[in-house]
Structure formats: C-alpha cells, structure tokens
Amino acid sequence: MPILKSLGVADPKVPRAGTLPLRSSRNPFEDIPGLEEESGELGTLPNGTSCHRRATLEKLAGLSPFRLGWAQGRRAGSPGDGPPRSFLGRVLPPGLRRSSADFGLLARLQGTRAHGDEEGPGEAARRLAFLRLGRGPKPRRASLAERVVPAGEAAPEPPPKVPEPPKMKEPLSVLEILSLIQQRELARADEHILELEAEELASSGGAPGPPVAEGASGGRRARDVALLYEALQRELWALVRETLAGPGPGAGAGAGAVAQLGQVLVQEEAADGRRGPGAARKLRARWAEAVARAARERLEAAAPGAPGGLAGQLEALRARLLEDMAVVRGRLAPAYPTGLGAFGVYLRGYHGALAEWLGASARRRLPLADRYALLHWHNQVYPREVLGLVDMVALENGELGPLLSPGTLRGLEDECVTDVKAQTRAALLRVLQEDEEHWTDAADWSSSLAQDVCELLEEHTERAPRISQEFGERMAHCCLGGLAEFLQSFQQRVERFHEHPGIRELPSDTYISRTISLVNCGPPLRALAERLARVGPPESEPAREASASSLDRVTRLCHRVLADMLFQELQPYFNKLMRRKWLSSPEALDGIVGTLGAQALALRRMQDEPYQALVAELHRRALVEYVRPLLRGRLHCRSARTRSRVAGRLREDAAQLQRLFRRLESQASWLDAVVPHLAEVLQLEDTPSIQVEVGVLVRDYPDIRRKHVAALLDVRGLHNTATRQEILAVARDLELCEGGALPPPRDRAFFSDIPVPRPSFCLSLPLSVGRLPLSRLARPSLACLPLRPRPLSPSRPRAQR
C-alpha cells in the first residue's frame, strides 16, 4: 500500500484505535450495475478498493438518481468544481451548453420510473450514506505555509487577494429547463428556451450566435426546442384551466402563476417579431384558443346536470358565466400584463363557447316551449343579465358577434309560428266543441269559452313580443288569423243553435241565459282581435275585419232573438195603442213599461257593451212600434180638440218611455224627440209653424219620407190640397238636397222601419157628378181616396172613344 501510505491513510486491513473493523473486505460497489472492469492499473480508492470499474451511459440508464449521481461524479458546470463538463464527463469549452442527450435520457428515466416503483426518501438517504461510507473520510492535506515554513517559525503574511474576473453565466441544460417548466417557473424557463432556440438558429446559420462544439447536432437541438415548447404549452394551458376552476386555497400562488403566463406571452410575442411571419409560434393566439377550450369545458360541465329541461340548462349556463367572469374580472385579468387585453380574451372565449352550445341546441328538434326559452334567453337574458353586467369597453375589437346567425334565429321563429298555428287551431276547435255540448243542456251552466280562447292565444302573443318586436308582430298576425277562423266557425254554430227546431223546447229562462252567454263571448274576443291587429303588421287588417264581422253577426242575431221574444210578449199592449180607449186609459203603456222593466233585470247579466247595444235597440224598436199605429191611420182627428188631446197623450207617453229607458241606461237619446215632434205637427194650427216642425223632423231623422209626412197630415185631418202641397214641399226639398247622401246606419234608422199605405190624393169634383150624390162627397172619409187603379173586369172591355 505505498500509495495509501504516501497519502497518509492507514492500512484498511489493520483497524485503527477507537474504530470498529469492517465486517468484510468486499468492494461495496461491485453490485452497482453500469460499472465494468477497465484494463490497466488505475489505482485504488482511499478505502483500499480497486478502481478497475468505469460507468457507461447505457448501463446507468436504469439507476436511481443517487447511483446516477455517483457514477457521473460531481455535476459538471457547478460553481467551484472546475470547468463545465458534459454528461459523460468531458470538459466543455467555456460558455457552451451541455449536450442535450440527457433530455432523451430523462425521458427514458421518467418512462422507467413511471412504470416502476417509486423510491422512497428513506431508501435514497440510506443509499447516499452507504456511498459516502464506501468513499471513506477525506484526508487532510497540509497547507502551503505548513510545507514551506519550518516548525517553530512564524508564518509570513499572506499575499494580497487579486479580484477574480466575473464568471460567465453558464447556460442551463435541457433537463434543467424542463425541471423549471415542471416547477412552473414558466417565465424563466421560456427565457432559457429562447436562448436555446437562438443557439439552434446560430448553428443552422440563421443568425450569429455562440460557437458550436464539435459533434453537436443542429437537428437534435431543434427537436429539444420543439419538445420544450410542447412541455411549456402543456403547462400554460393547464394553468388556464386550473385558474378558471375557482380561487381555491392557493389563490395568491395562482395569481403569480398567471402573471408568469402573461410574461411568457409577452416574451414570445416579442420573439415572434424577430422570427418573422413564417416562423412565428403565435402563442398569444393559442392562448386565446386554450381559453376558449377551457370555457367550453366549463359550460359543458354546468349544463347537463341542470333540472327543468332546456330552460334549466340555460339558467345554469347564466350562473356559470357570471361566476367565471367574476373570477376573471377580480383575480385573473389584473394578473396579466395590460397589453394582452385578458378580460376581452376570456369574454370572447366564453362567448364563442356559448355560441357553439346554443347552435348545437338549435339544430336539434326542440319542443315549442324549449324554442321559446332558447329565443328569449338569446335575445333578452344574455344581453341584459350577462353582457349588461360586463364592461364592454374592455373589448379591443368592438362588440361581440351574435350567438346565433340571423338564419338560425329566423328558422327557430318560423318553427314556432308553424307549431303555434297548428296547435291553436286544434285547441280552439276542441274548446268550441266542448262548449257547444252544453248549449242545449237544461241544467244551469256558465260558459268559459271566451276566457279559454284568450288564454290559449295570449300564451303566445305575450311571450313573443318579449323576445323581439318583429317576432311579436309575426306571432300576433298568426294568432289573429287563427282567431278569425275560429270566430267564423263560432258564428256558424250559433246560427245553427238558434235555427234548431228543438231549441224552442227549452225553458224561456234557459234559452235567454244561453243566448246571453253567447253574446258575452263577443267583447273579450273583440278586444283580443283589436289588440292583435294593433301589434301585428298592416297585413293583419283583413283578419281583424273578418273577426269583427263574425262577432257583429253573432251579436245582432242574439239581440234580434232576445228582442223578438220580448216584443212578442209586448205585442198585445202595442195593439191597444192609438185607439179611443188609449186616449182615456194608460193601461196599454203601463203594461209596456212594466214588461220592459222586468225583462231588463235578466238582460243586465249581459256585459256592458252588448247590453248598451241591446237596450238601444229595444229603445228604438219600442218607439217604432209605438209610432207605427199612428202613421198607419188607426186614429183620425176631426177637430182641434181631438188633436190637442192626442198631442197631449203623445207627450205623456214619450216622457214615460224616456224615464224608463234612462233607468235602463239607454244611450239612444236621439230617440227622445221623435214623439214630441209628431205631437207638435198634430197640434199646430198655422201652416208656417207646421212647415218648420216638418223641417226639424226631416233634419233630425233623415230616413223620413213624404209618405210619412202625408200620413201624419191625414191623422191631423188636413185635407186641403194647397196646404198639403206646401208642407210636403219642405220634405221634398230636403230630400232633393240630401239625394246623394248615404242612408243612415242601422242603429240610426227609425222611419224606414215603418211602412205606410200608398199616398192618397184628394178629389177636386164639381157639386154634382153624374149619379154620385153630393152628400156622400161631403164626407171626409171619402174626400181622399187611395191612388190605386181598379183592375178591369175581363167581361167588360175598355170603352173605345
């Protein structure tokens, strides 16, 4: 052992005092794989073992990191350990990066470790202690002063220290860069990747760079850069997903990682400017894509588990959007550099992901309720409750695009309109059929037809305008068309009901109640039609007119039926008018007033609008029936006293009828003056006053004709031809002035419903005519004869002149 003795190390076979002898002289490194014998005497280790083994890279691939560290020796390039060395221990030129072969080795090591058992920290510590035991204690060497200065003499002063030149920063290896990526020191790792990329460009002649060592492969370095970028992007996009999941316990650490992500994007954007358009990596665009992918995953995870069908899923999407955008606004966006516009990127990512989700939902065959929910959420909820709470100023490129294309929205609206048209038509006919079954039922029953129809249509006409104004107009036009068809069918069934021969077998009260129920359907349905016409487009006007026409026919028919029943009961009282007993007894008029007042209680169950129309019709018809016997010549006045009595009674009856119909809330006040005007014509004596009164009659009641005035003059007993012509001339002149005027409407017609006999003419004869006695010509009843030619007898031919 001369070498050991020269180093001051005792013989390992002889134990030193105070130490325990080794259990065996066997070399502890014989079991380490990857070490093989080497020819030639290489010396011995301090513990006395031989150094005839050396490590090979191929056999060290399966070693643990501790064995690998021993086999490799001290890490090449560490401070204070000499010049930088390669993985195999070769000395590298100053400033040159170690070979990237250990990147592949790391992949092999990671692959082996991934499929093998993990090594615990305790085992690694024991192996490290074992390795140190095998190497033995480090011998102490004498310093230079102890060697030069003899014992007992003072040591000279040490020479002044010369400042060492600053050491150059050594580049990191590929494994060390990968370790930085795994530790999420992303900004620092990206800096070293950019340096490595610059070296690769220099080696390929793309740009000047540091010298390249002999044997270095430019292709291997390019693969290392590509693999490092893949690893870097995996960590970046994983960080994007993790930070969106919620703040969690490490919110501060997450913000720091987001800041590093933003710094990497800034560095890479600057590097893209140096690389050129063809070689740009465009990490900023890929970051936006990663944000969109993360947003898509978040939305897809929120929607499926929501209850309530599509409406519930949309509500879950709204909640997730607001939650995530609050995280972006409060925690993520401030951590990014300002120039990246992080909030706008996240908002666009969620907007695009939501557009994909809604588009996929719109392409499915959805029920009508889900289509309504989708359109309402798209047009109202998302702009108001999501984008309305977002700072749109943060967007760099203006407003966001639509979630669904106009064609998709139009298609959804068309499907809604088609379904509503089909569903409402079937539902309305079903409701009408169910209601009609009770019309002939004698039991007490209240119709809800109008309410059911309004509810069926308003369900759609109220939802559609909340989606958009245009869609509301289309839906109103659709529902108005369906309503017009329904009302036409309703009118036909009401006509069949009143024409049915067995309907008269119902009790009178039941029949009146059913008729009132049918009339009461008119006002709400008419109001619905008017409202739909106002909301709908101009093309809705024909449907509105058709609806109004059907309702008018139903109302007039029911009013006529009720009025006929009432006046059939009143006819005996009207037959007693304008007779001698009428002048002295108010019995007839009292019966009329009492019967009308009693029936009005039943009619009051009718709604206001049709009730007012019915009372006005009853008012008009009652006065028509009152005046009819007067103009038909049932009464003739032969003296002024008789004319005065008749005029007074007419005024009393007119006042009593006026009080009755005011109590019944009649709005036909234009009828109150007709009987007083007729009384004035009968009572006045001078011709000019009669002419004035006739002029007032013709002005207030345009449908009066000369035949009516002539009949009134006959009742008055005015047979003077000249006087009659003067009075009738007033009516003729006013008729000529109004010759081109339209006839009054039905509710304003009065005299047109009163037929009178043919106009009579007065005979102007001499005192004696043939065999006709003069005494008979003096009778007033024969003074005026009707203008009616007598038919010739077939046995008596006309005499020839």
Side-chain angles (χ1 to χ4, degrees):
M1 303 288 180
I3 300 177
L4 296 176
K5 291 181 180 180
S6 64
L7 295 176
V9 180
D11 190 351
K13 297 180 180 180
V14 182
R16 292 184 296 177
T19 61
L20 295 177
L22 296 174
R23 294 183 180 179
S24 174
S25 61
R26 183 173 175 270
N27 189 356
F29 304 100
E30 292 178 355
D31 296 333
I32 301 176
L35 297 178
E36 57 187 20
E37 296 291 341
E38 186 176 10
S39 61
E41 184 69 19
L42 297 179
T44 59
L45 294 176
N47 58 0
T49 59
S50 174
C51 293
H52 289 277
R53 294 177 182 271
R54 64 183 178 86
T56 62
L57 181 60
E58 292 77 4
K59 295 182 178 181
L60 285 175
L63 297 181
S64 67
F66 299 104
R67 295 188 179 186
L68 179 60
W70 176 85
Q72 185 178 356
R74 294 178 179 270
R75 168 175 281 187
S78 58
D81 292 343
R85 298 176 180 272
S86 68
F87 184 80
L88 299 179
R90 293 194 297 269
V91 178
L92 298 177
L96 188 64
R97 191 183 305 274
R98 288 187 292 277
S99 173
S100 62
D102 40 6
F103 184 81
L105 175 61
L106 178 63
R108 291 171 58 193
L109 291 177
Q110 289 178 344
T112 305
R113 179 59 52 84
H115 300 285
D117 296 331
E118 293 292 338
E119 185 177 29
E123 183 182 354
R126 289 193 300 271
R127 184 176 292 108
L128 181 59
F130 169 75
L131 293 178
R132 290 178 179 173
L133 179 63
R135 294 175 62 182
K138 184 178 180 180
R140 179 180 179 279
R141 296 184 181 181
S143 64
L144 182 60
E146 293 176 351
R147 295 179 183 178
V148 176
V149 180
E153 296 184 4
E157 294 291 333
K161 294 184 178 180
V162 180
E164 299 181 359
K167 295 183 178 181
M168 298 180 60
K169 182 180 178 181
E170 298 179 1
L172 298 182
S173 65
V174 176
L175 288 178
E176 291 169 334
I177 297 175
L178 185 62
S179 177
L180 292 177
I181 294 175
Q182 295 173 347
Q183 297 171 9
R184 294 239 170 132
E185 297 185 16
L186 304 177
R188 183 180 171 197
D190 184 61
E191 293 176 358
H192 290 286
I193 294 175
L194 291 175
E195 294 177 1
L196 184 60
E197 184 182 28
E199 294 176 8
E200 192 274 331
L201 290 175
S203 64
S204 61
V212 183
E214 286 184 86
S217 174
R220 175 186 298 172
R221 194 169 290 170
R223 288 194 301 272
D224 291 344
V225 171
L227 293 173
L228 286 174
Y229 266 115
E230 290 180 4
L232 177 65
Q233 291 184 56
R234 281 195 299 271
E235 291 297 325
L236 291 175
W237 312 151
L239 183 61
V240 170
R241 291 192 302 272
E242 294 169 6
T243 53
L244 273 177
V258 171
Q260 290 203 46
L261 191 156
Q263 186 176 352
V264 169
L265 297 177
V266 173
Q267 293 172 178
E268 287 296 327
E269 192 171 15
D272 283 346
R274 298 190 297 270
R275 293 185 185 112
R281 297 191 182 274
K282 301 179 181 178
L283 250 64
R284 185 169 178 178
R286 296 183 182 181
W287 165 58
E289 296 173 359
V291 169
R293 286 194 301 271
R296 188 183 308 112
E297 295 173 1
R298 294 279 294 168
L299 295 181
E300 290 176 354
L310 186 62
Q313 295 178 6
L314 292 171
E315 178 61 23
L317 290 179
R318 184 192 68 84
R320 178 59 58 87
L321 277 168
L322 294 178
E323 175 187 353
D324 289 0
M325 294 313 298
V327 172
V328 172
R329 182 199 300 271
R331 185 167 54 88
L332 300 183
Y336 281 97
T338 307
L340 292 178
F343 185 80
V345 172
Y346 276 88
L347 181 58
R348 292 183 186 278
Y350 273 91
H351 185 82
L354 183 61
E356 294 179 7
W357 193 94
L358 292 181
S361 300
R363 286 188 291 272
R364 300 198 303 267
R365 179 61 183 174
L366 298 174
L368 180 60
D370 287 350
R371 254 186 253 116
Y372 271 132
L374 181 60
L375 289 171
H376 181 259
W377 199 91
H378 175 276
N379 288 20
Q380 298 297 328
V381 176
Y382 182 67
R384 182 180 64 250
E385 300 185 15
V386 178
L387 296 183
L389 304 178
V390 172
D391 185 12
M392 300 297 292
V393 181
L395 297 177
E396 295 180 353
N397 300 327
E399 298 182 357
L400 298 171
L403 289 174
L404 296 176
S405 65
T408 302
L409 291 175
R410 184 73 177 187
L412 289 173
E413 293 178 358
D414 292 342
E415 293 175 0
C416 287
V417 171
T418 303
D419 288 355
V420 167
K421 184 181 296 184
Q423 292 181 13
T424 54
R425 180 184 292 112
L428 291 175
L429 291 179
R430 183 177 63 253
V431 168
L432 179 58
Q433 181 67 31
E434 294 174 356
D435 195 81
E436 187 182 11
E437 295 175 357
H438 298 278
W439 292 357
T440 57
D441 192 358
D444 190 14
W445 168 80
S446 178
S447 175
S448 61
L449 178 63
Q451 181 180 357
D452 295 339
V453 171
C454 291
E455 289 178 356
L456 283 172
L457 296 180
E458 287 174 353
E459 178 185 359
H460 306 288
T461 58
E462 291 179 359
R463 296 184 67 177
R466 291 199 294 264
I467 295 174
S468 67
Q469 181 180 357
E470 180 184 0
F471 185 47
E473 293 178 357
R474 296 183 61 196
M475 187 60 67
H477 181 63
C478 168
C479 292
L480 183 57
L483 179 62
E485 295 179 4
F486 165 79
L487 291 178
Q488 185 177 5
S489 178
F490 175 64
Q491 172 202 339
Q492 295 171 357
R493 299 191 184 211
V494 170
E495 291 173 351
R496 287 202 302 266
F497 167 72
H498 287 296
E499 294 171 359
H500 194 275
I503 199 64
R504 299 295 181 180
E505 299 178 0
L506 289 175
S508 176
D509 294 342
T510 302
Y511 183 63
I512 292 175
S513 177
R514 295 292 183 271
T515 306
I516 291 175
S517 298
L518 295 176
V519 173
N520 285 340
C521 295
L525 296 179
R526 190 186 302 273
L528 177 61
E530 295 290 340
R531 185 166 62 253
L532 294 179
R534 287 194 301 269
V535 176
E539 294 80 10
S540 303
E541 186 62 22
R544 186 200 66 80
E545 293 178 354
S547 302
S549 176
S550 298
L551 290 174
D552 290 341
R553 290 193 181 99
V554 170
T555 303
R556 285 197 300 267
L557 175 60
C558 293
H559 283 177
R560 187 175 70 249
V561 168
L562 293 174
D564 288 345
M565 292 181 63
L566 179 58
F567 280 92
Q568 185 177 1
E569 186 177 354
L570 293 174
Q571 193 60 42
Y573 299 103
F574 285 111
N575 290 336
K576 297 179 181 180
L577 297 176
M578 308 305 165
R579 298 185 184 274
R580 293 184 180 275
K581 188 177 180 179
W582 165 74
L583 286 174
S584 58
S585 174
E587 177 185 355
L589 189 66
D590 290 344
I592 294 172
V593 172
T595 304
L596 284 173
Q599 293 294 337
L601 296 177
L603 300 177
R604 201 63 189 87
R605 291 177 296 170
M606 198 177 295
Q607 293 194 16
D608 289 340
E609 182 181 352
Y611 174 77
Q612 295 293 340
L614 177 58
V615 170
E617 176 62 18
L618 293 178
H619 192 176
R620 186 192 71 85
R621 190 163 173 180
L623 290 177
V624 167
E625 295 298 328
Y626 183 86
V627 174
R628 186 192 304 273
L630 177 66
L631 296 184
R632 291 186 67 87
R634 186 180 295 179
L635 184 67
H636 293 278
C637 300
R638 293 185 175 90
S639 63
R641 180 174 176 273
T642 305
R643 289 195 297 269
S644 177
R645 287 182 61 192
V646 171
R649 188 53 190 269
L650 289 175
R651 293 190 186 95
E652 292 177 3
D653 291 353
Q656 190 172 356
L657 290 173
Q658 183 177 354
R659 288 192 298 268
L660 168 66
F661 285 105
R662 283 184 179 177
R663 188 170 67 251
L664 297 181
E665 301 178 2
S666 172
Q667 303 296 325
S669 58
W670 60 279
L671 294 169
D672 295 338
V674 61
V675 176
H677 283 316
L678 297 178
E680 290 294 326
V681 173
L682 292 178
Q683 188 175 8
L684 291 175
E685 295 296 336
D686 57 314
T687 303
S689 299
I690 297 176
Q691 288 178 326
V692 171
E693 201 64 34
V694 170
V696 173
L697 268 174
V698 176
R699 181 196 64 190
D700 294 343
Y701 304 95
D703 60 338
I704 193 172
R705 294 294 177 260
R706 280 178 292 175
K707 61 182 180 179
H708 298 103
V709 178
L712 186 59
L713 295 178
D714 291 340
V715 174
R716 189 181 186 281
L718 181 61
H719 303 293
N720 190 316
T721 305
T723 306
R724 290 173 64 92
Q725 294 300 326
E726 292 179 7
I727 297 173
L728 293 176
V730 176
R732 182 178 62 251
D733 293 342
L734 293 176
E735 288 179 10
L736 293 176
C737 293
E738 299 176 359
L742 296 176
R746 175 66 184 171
D747 57 349
R748 300 285 294 185
F750 185 84
F751 287 98
S752 58
D753 286 349
I754 303 176
V756 295
R758 292 179 178 273
S760 58
F761 69 98
C762 295
L763 294 176
S764 178
L765 299 177
L767 292 179
S768 62
V769 178
R771 299 179 180 178
L772 187 62
L774 296 180
S775 60
R776 297 192 59 183
L777 290 178
R779 295 176 56 185
S781 58
L782 297 179
C784 295
L785 301 178
L787 186 61
R788 180 179 300 170
R790 176 182 298 178
L792 295 176
S793 175
S795 61
R796 296 178 60 183
R798 179 179 299 179
Q800 298 293 331
R801 289 186 180 181

